Amino acid sequence: MIKEQPLTAARNGNGVKPSKRLAYATSRESTPANIAPSYGHFIGGAFVPSSSGETFETTNPATGEVLSRVATGTPEDVDRAVAAARKAYEKYWQPLSPARRAAYVYRIARAISERSRELAVLETLDNGKPIKESRDFDVPMSSAHFFYYAGWADKLDYAGFGPDPRPLGVAGQVIPWNFPLMMAAWKLAPALAAGNTCVLKPASTTPLSALLLAEIVQQADLPPGVVNVLTGAGSVAGAALVAHPGIDKVAFTGSTEIGKDLQRALAGTGKHLTLELGGKAANIVFDDAPLDQAIEGIVNGIFFNQGEVCCAGSRLLVQESIADLVVEKLKRRLGTLRVGDPLDKNTDLGAINNAAQLEKIQELAEAGEAEGAVRWSPKCVLPSHGYWFPPTVFTNVSPAHRIAREEIFGPVLSVLTFRTPEEAVAKANNTTYGLSAGVWTEKGSRILWMAGQLRAGVVWANSFNRFDPTSPFGGYRESGFGREGGRPGLAAYLDV
Ligand code: NAD
């Protein structure tokens, strides 16, 4: 059903003037998120204030509204959290029978499923992503991780890790804002199943779903201190956590820049380290590809989660003979994307998570134009409050342009062309990253050959952005090292 609606002014953007247009009737998610006015850290099984007594705001990026206040983590808070995790490791978690550990991890999985609606709404409010994505992707993928690793916990002796695999001890885990709950699940589930205890620090712009997860951990009755959640700034709480001598393993997901700093800072400390960093994935479309399916894959590859995805298909490499046709079809499809209220179940693209990220996207898009690429966005009217950027496609892109080399982490696609499979491989590998790639072709032999040639941790064939807890995920080169998911994800938390 469609109806006429008055529209608000475009705020950031694509130069489209507000005008009368046909808007789709909305269908808003109405489940309450039950957000408390303030939250402490979750340390030793209880919510406690910061040692400084200070708090900071977390806001809804789609509206600017303050959602809650959370504790500002200090080095003293980190001391407390690490001490709680150490005590829990020695007293409760490590001595516990693996079958009991499995049961606890399973309880967390079940509680996530039971509270899935509430978690989805909370994630959408704090992050800005469309409700259909948090409902159908983030939350189910998070519970799936706990379910999957619960199954490993009592089978470690038979998993081919050698005799008597041991947990590493206390894990310090730092996560980004793009998939806050799912990143927490990717970190906590394998660590707990392997017998480690954890101190998790969510990103400062998206602390709420990790705090709700802490509540779930409390309700699942995990021994106190097995999971601790500490909120605060990366430069203070994050830095103190990874540097803490009581931490045995650092697991970091975030920007390549901070990842490199961590690698330098941890050199010689003997701590285990895994890094999941940035990407600049190529999505490669051959002239024999199933085109309509490929167009959907291109759109999903770069506009899923507003392109704020480390493995986003941000470089479209399309075979020259079909490039014009693909761009034309792509533009037509982008014209149908709905950008706006993230709580509307029909929304395809929500808000950008924070002001700094929006500025980075704007700066790189301007650099793209300045360097001679051609910028295009469909007509769309962006909400007047919050952080917004329209879906954007650049053609006439040269491999030397910044938009072809740098991670934008936003809804911006750079289109490049190739003539031969060899040229496609050379262009795809012409990056300092190596996280993921996509290949679209009907030829099975070509898929296998490409998968062997592409320097990327994941290669999707005739699909993109597909995830499963059983599949290891991770990168090469400046995309980091170590794998999350599957058996390798467990090995990253074991001494074997
Ligand atoms: P970021 O590096 O700014 O922050 C990530 C986390 O690190 C946050 O919790 C932050 O508070 C913390 N942090 C910041 N400085 C720190 C320091 N000095 N010491 C310890 N912790 C510190 O990244 P972001 O902006 O939150 O996330 C976006 C980036 O994450 C992108 O580059 C994206 O590609 C990457 N990412 C990678 C993956 C992957 O699996 N490879 C997944 C999601 C996001």
Side-chain angles (χ1 to χ4, degrees):
M1 199 185 19
I2 51 177
K3 66 177 183 191
E4 195 88 7
Q5 276 189 351
L7 289 160
T8 48
R11 185 188 180 211
N12 298 307
N14 57 355
V16 178
K17 294 255 171 11
S19 63
K20 279 193 167 181
R21 66 196 275 262
L22 290 176
Y24 287 86
T26 60
S27 163
R28 272 193 120 230
E29 173 62 57
S30 56
T31 306
N34 302 321
I35 300 173
S38 66
Y39 291 88
H41 304 304
F42 183 65
I43 297 179
F47 285 90
V48 297
S50 159
S51 66
S52 65
E54 285 176 24
T55 59
F56 64 97
E57 286 175 353
T58 181
T59 58
N60 179 344
T63 60
E65 160 206 12
V66 176
L67 295 170
S68 184
R69 297 192 70 87
V70 301
T72 305
T74 63
E76 295 74 44
D77 297 335
V78 171
D79 282 343
R80 275 196 291 169
V82 174
R86 173 66 54 193
K87 184 173 163 196
Y89 178 71
E90 286 167 4
K91 197 167 163 199
Y92 308 119
W93 203 240
Q94 208 265 340
L96 197 67
S97 83
R100 291 282 306 284
R101 273 208 299 267
Y104 279 120
V105 178
Y106 183 80
R107 268 195 222 168
I108 300 175
R110 260 205 1 212
I112 293 174
S113 303
E114 279 159 14
R115 297 180 74 173
S116 59
R117 291 296 271 268
E118 183 187 349
L119 273 163
V121 174
L122 187 77
E123 195 74 321
T124 282
L125 289 172
D126 211 17
N127 169 274
K129 64 179 68 201
I131 186 70
K132 69 178 175 194
E133 291 182 4
S134 36
R135 182 196 62 197
D136 298 343
F137 181 76
D138 298 66
V139 177
M141 276 295 292
S142 302
S143 57
H145 258 76
F146 281 101
F147 277 122
Y148 173 73
Y149 281 112
W152 276 101
D154 58 356
K155 299 171 193 73
L156 297 180
D157 283 339
Y158 307 97
F161 290 123
D164 198 19
R166 306 252 173 102
L168 299 177
V170 177
Q173 305 173 313
V174 180
I175 56 173
W177 46 258
N178 58 343
F179 293 97
L181 179 70
M182 195 177 87
M183 289 294 109
W186 284 24
K187 295 279 177 283
L188 294 175
L192 296 176
N196 305 271
T197 56
C198 304
V199 181
L200 176 81
K201 197 207 81 66
S204 51
T205 57
T206 53
L208 294 181
S209 54
L211 290 166
L212 181 47
L213 191 56
E215 212 178 289
I216 284 173
V217 163
Q218 201 178 34
Q219 283 163 1
D221 217 10
L222 261 77
V226 170
V227 172
N228 304 274
V229 177
L230 192 96
T231 49
S235 56
V236 181
L241 177 60
V242 299
H244 200 287
I247 293 288
D248 301 296
K249 150 96 190 186
V250 172
F252 173 84
T253 299
S255 59
T256 293
E257 193 191 347
I258 304 283
K260 285 182 182 177
D261 287 347
L262 289 191
Q263 203 174 355
R264 276 189 287 267
L266 294 192
T269 63
K271 287 178 188 167
H272 295 255
L273 174 66
T274 41
L275 295 173
E276 301 280 0
L277 309 175
K280 191 74 190 172
N283 204 355
I284 305 164
V285 181
F286 284 94
D287 60 7
D288 67 338
L291 262 201
D292 290 336
Q293 195 184 327
I295 296 295
E296 289 309 306
I298 296 164
V299 170
N300 167 42
I302 184 62
F303 300 115
F304 173 60
N305 207 43
Q306 298 74 242
E308 296 165 329
V309 183
C310 49
C311 52
S314 52
R315 288 183 297 153
L316 171 62
L317 292 186
V318 55
Q319 201 153 17
E320 202 174 81
S321 52
I322 56 162
D324 290 345
L325 177 63
V326 166
V327 170
E328 187 196 313
K329 277 177 173 272
L330 186 61
K331 287 181 174 175
R332 223 178 302 143
R333 176 68 178 89
L334 294 193
T336 68
L337 290 183
R338 299 175 207 172
V339 186
D341 182 6
L343 278 177
D344 185 332
K345 293 171 192 167
N346 294 317
T347 291
D348 298 303
L349 266 84
I352 301 302
N353 178 254
N354 58 71
Q357 184 58 31
L358 178 61
E359 267 169 41
K360 181 181 162 193
I361 300 169
Q362 283 167 335
E363 197 251 314
L364 275 161
E366 278 156 26
E369 280 182 291
E371 287 185 320
V374 177
R375 179 176 178 169
W376 182 89
S377 289
K379 288 197 187 320
C380 61
V381 180
L382 303 175
S384 54
H385 297 287
Y387 310 123
W388 299 90
F389 198 86
T392 299
V393 175
F394 276 100
T395 48
N396 267 20
V397 180
S398 128
H401 288 164
R402 287 182 65 196
I403 54 168
R405 291 183 291 114
E406 295 180 29
E407 183 182 49
I408 301 175
F409 219 57
V412 180
L413 180 68
S414 299
V415 183
L416 297 113
T417 58
F418 66 90
R419 288 187 184 161
T420 63
E422 291 75 13
E423 191 188 346
V425 167
K427 282 190 165 161
N429 286 342
N430 182 20
T431 168
T432 55
Y433 295 109
L435 193 52
S436 65
V439 180
W440 298 84
T441 173
E442 293 281 16
K443 288 201 179 90
S445 57
R446 182 179 279 164
I447 290 171
L448 291 176
W449 181 79
M450 295 286 291
Q453 300 295 312
L454 291 166
R455 286 202 300 269
V458 181
V459 179
W460 286 292
N462 294 324
S463 65
F464 209 92
N465 275 340
R466 303 283 289 238
F467 300 90
D468 189 286
T470 66
S471 277
F473 179 85
Y476 288 98
R477 310 207 285 168
E478 291 189 20
S479 290
F481 50 79
R483 295 291 178 266
E484 292 188 306
R487 186 176 169 281
L490 198 66
Y493 287 96
L494 286 170
D495 248 332
V496 294

